[in-house]
Amino acid sequence: MKKVYKKILFLLVMMVALSTGCKKDIAKEQEAGNPLQPRIFDILRDFSGAQIINEGDTAKFNGIEITPAGKADVSWMVDGKEVSKDKKFAFAPARGGEFVIKLKVSYNGDSSVRSTKVLVNPSTYTFKPYTKIAMTYLTQDATAANVNFNNVTHVAYKIGLVSPEGDLDTSPGEAGQKAREIVARAHIAGVPVIMGISGRLSGIDGWAIYETNDFGTAIRDAAKRTKLVGLVKAYVAAKQMDGVDIMMTDINSGNAPDNIHAIGPFLTQLKAALPAKAIITVTVTTNYQHWEYPDLSAATWVNLHTFEDNIHIGPDAQVGQSSSLAFMKEGAEKWTNFHLPASKLVLGVPAFGLRYNALNGAGNNESWGSYDYMTYKAILAADPTAFGKEFTDKSGKGVYYSGVQLVTLKAGYIKNNGFKGGYVWAGDYDTQDANSLMLALFNGIK
């Protein structure tokens, strides 16, 4: 009986061994015949968008899982050059710039690839030289895609909204890291970025709304003014911006004179708080209230709102061009005659137009509610030939605006009369093609 049991036990062991060997062989055959496609799982969404860092910081790619685990070959590349074979990767650039990060995972001859970009704001940068300022002034809705950095010398970004309490809302610039990207791309291109601060309410022209006193209320009060200066200083430092533009537009109220007078002490206090090399500018009106402005010679320069004359709106107003060359000249001459030399003044050009939606029997504007404004790029969408004109009838009852030809004439006036430069409001209303108003201004004044 013992011999029988031994034989049975031997046979069982052999059967198990043969069975195990078959399974291993089958697994190999299946793997060879049906190779597993390598996959990359971006657990922390490291590849969902560009990372924006400052020079000296590190972009980390730690949330990556790979299949088949432990079998696939890993290759991390920076601008096409392999730099690591580990599953995790930390990129610590030695300079500013834009870098392409690519992860390639290979197995059995097949590959999967993920790529993204890392934008590095340089710690030191040199501003490109210029003869005249050609500045794009962006609204809080703008992104870096709204700027061609080859066509500008400066960027102003209206990202600080001032409340009557002296608080500063900069939240629009945090969405999608818009502020950080604009600063990083500008500095890589050698272009300074100026933080625009204004009241919370403004129209498409970025200017005054009736009976608003947000900004004025804050800077008329010494304690609130000090609070606001501290907040502005902190934001400029945190975002590595190069200065501030004071766009105090509370001039359509009973407090307008006091609001305007308060710009003086605010400018003085802000200038003392920011670094000595900081650019500090003021954007001002050219209407009858120009008399109210204090001495602004301490500013690096002053931006003149030399567009939108406001005489072609309202009931029975005659339709027409509200941002003519003549209006620019008139406003500029007020300031050169009574305030500052042309070398301290930067003149504004609009990237929007006045549209009439209803006219009365005389062919004039019907009422206060019968007109509005269109961005330049919306005008071109309605009429692709509009770039070469000042009027189009392809929207509403017609739109008056500054086209390429008129902006070129304005640029010639700026260049030939000793002004410091010009700016376009707003850069995100403009196009980024050959019909760009910023491009026309840049070419016209250089």
Side-chain angles (χ1 to χ4, degrees):
M1 290 294 291
K2 290 182 178 179
K3 291 182 177 180
V4 173
Y5 284 131
K6 288 181 178 179
K7 287 181 179 180
I8 293 172
L9 182 61
F10 175 76
L11 289 172
L12 289 172
V13 171
M14 290 298 294
M15 289 175 66
V16 170
L18 289 171
S19 174
T20 303
C22 288
K23 286 182 179 178
K24 288 182 178 178
D25 292 339
I26 291 170
K28 289 180 180 179
E29 290 175 5
Q30 289 179 341
E31 189 173 283
N34 301 282
L36 185 64
Q37 176 71 30
R39 300 180 67 185
I40 300 170
F41 297 92
D42 186 7
I43 306 300
L44 298 181
R45 299 180 62 80
D46 291 330
F47 288 94
S48 63
Q51 291 194 43
I52 305 171
I53 63 174
N54 294 323
E55 184 179 334
D57 293 340
T58 301
K60 297 179 180 180
F61 297 84
N62 293 334
I64 305 298
E65 293 296 335
I66 296 166
T67 59
K71 295 183 177 181
D73 293 324
V74 178
S75 175
W76 288 93
M77 289 169 279
V78 176
D79 290 343
K81 181 180 179 181
E82 185 176 75
V83 293
S84 175
K85 290 181 174 293
D86 297 331
K87 189 173 77 170
K88 295 182 179 181
F89 177 54
F91 177 51
R95 60 178 178 84
E98 186 174 22
F99 303 86
V100 177
I101 309 298
K102 183 181 291 185
L103 169 61
K104 183 178 180 180
V105 176
S106 303
Y107 179 70
N108 275 359
D110 292 320
S111 299
S112 291
V113 175
R114 293 284 186 97
S115 65
T116 188
K117 292 182 178 180
V118 173
L119 193 63
V120 183
N121 189 8
S123 57
T124 58
Y125 44 90
T126 301
F127 296 143
K128 62 185 181 183
Y130 63 89
T131 302
K132 298 285 186 182
I133 288 172
M135 183 172 72
T136 181
Y137 210 132
L138 306 174
T139 76
Q140 65 184 38
D141 299 319
T143 67
N146 296 125
V147 185
N148 183 335
F149 292 99
N150 294 321
N151 300 337
V152 300
T153 64
H154 296 74
V155 172
Y157 183 28
K158 193 173 81 70
I159 196 56
L161 304 179
V162 179
S163 77
E165 293 75 29
D167 292 316
L168 187 69
D169 178 10
T170 57
S171 58
E174 301 307 306
Q177 302 184 86
K178 292 192 302 181
R180 294 188 70 192
E181 182 177 3
I182 288 171
V183 172
R185 292 193 182 280
H187 287 174
I188 290 169
V191 173
V193 180
I194 300 166
M195 176 193 188
I197 54 175
S198 71
R200 295 175 298 179
L201 298 176
S202 64
I204 190 174
D205 62 344
W207 207 237
I209 297 291
Y210 186 63
E211 285 300 334
T212 57
N213 290 284
D214 286 357
F215 202 148
T217 299
I219 62 175
R220 291 199 315 267
D221 182 276
K224 294 176 181 179
R225 183 171 65 240
T226 298
K227 175 184 176 182
L228 179 59
V229 166
L231 293 172
V232 171
K233 176 184 177 181
Y235 186 83
V236 167
K239 289 295 185 286
Q240 294 182 294
M241 290 183 169
D242 304 290
V244 178
D245 177 59
I246 303 168
M247 188 184 275
M248 203 295 295
T249 65
D250 298 340
I251 62 173
N252 282 8
S253 75
N255 292 321
D258 290 337
N259 293 339
I260 295 173
H261 299 164
I263 293 174
F266 181 61
L267 172 62
T268 299
Q269 196 166 344
L270 189 61
K271 189 176 178 69
L274 295 180
K277 64 179 180 179
I279 299 167
I280 305 178
T281 62
V282 184
T283 297
V284 302
T285 187
T286 59
N287 66 10
Y288 69 95
Q289 290 168 310
H290 75 89
W291 296 111
E292 301 291 350
Y293 283 95
D295 179 11
L296 299 178
S297 58
T300 311
W301 71 76
V302 172
N303 301 310
L304 301 190
H305 190 269
T306 46
F307 50 90
E308 196 183 14
D309 59 21
N310 289 324
I311 64 175
H312 296 286
I313 59 175
D316 200 38
Q318 184 177 5
V319 301
Q321 174 61 267
S322 63
S323 298
S324 65
L325 176 59
F327 180 69
M328 170 183 272
K329 292 180 177 179
E330 179 186 342
E333 288 170 1
K334 289 177 183 176
W335 276 83
T336 55
N337 288 339
F338 302 106
H339 298 286
L340 294 168
S343 59
K344 290 277 287 190
L345 302 175
V346 174
L347 311 189
V349 173
F352 64 90
L354 173 60
R355 175 172 59 184
Y356 297 99
N357 297 309
L359 303 178
N360 60 22
N364 296 330
N365 180 54
E366 185 175 78
S367 67
W368 285 113
S370 63
Y371 71 93
D372 58 16
Y373 297 94
M374 288 182 74
T375 66
Y376 176 66
K377 60 186 176 184
I379 294 169
L380 289 187
D383 180 1
T385 68
F387 65 89
K389 302 180 290 187
E390 296 180 32
F391 172 80
T392 178
D393 60 0
K394 301 300 183 182
S395 185
K397 299 297 182 180
V399 187
Y400 291 86
Y401 58 95
S402 292
V404 170
Q405 184 176 12
L406 180 53
V407 170
T408 301
L409 291 174
K410 292 178 177 180
Y413 171 73
I414 292 169
K415 178 179 180 179
N416 296 329
N417 288 274
F419 291 97
K420 193 171 185 69
Y423 73 95
V424 170
W425 173 271
D428 39 314
Y429 301 163
D430 194 11
T431 63
Q432 296 302 317
D433 55 20
N435 301 321
S436 163
L437 300 182
M438 188 68 241
L439 176 61
L441 177 65
F442 179 81
N443 286 337
I445 65 175
K446 67 182 181 181

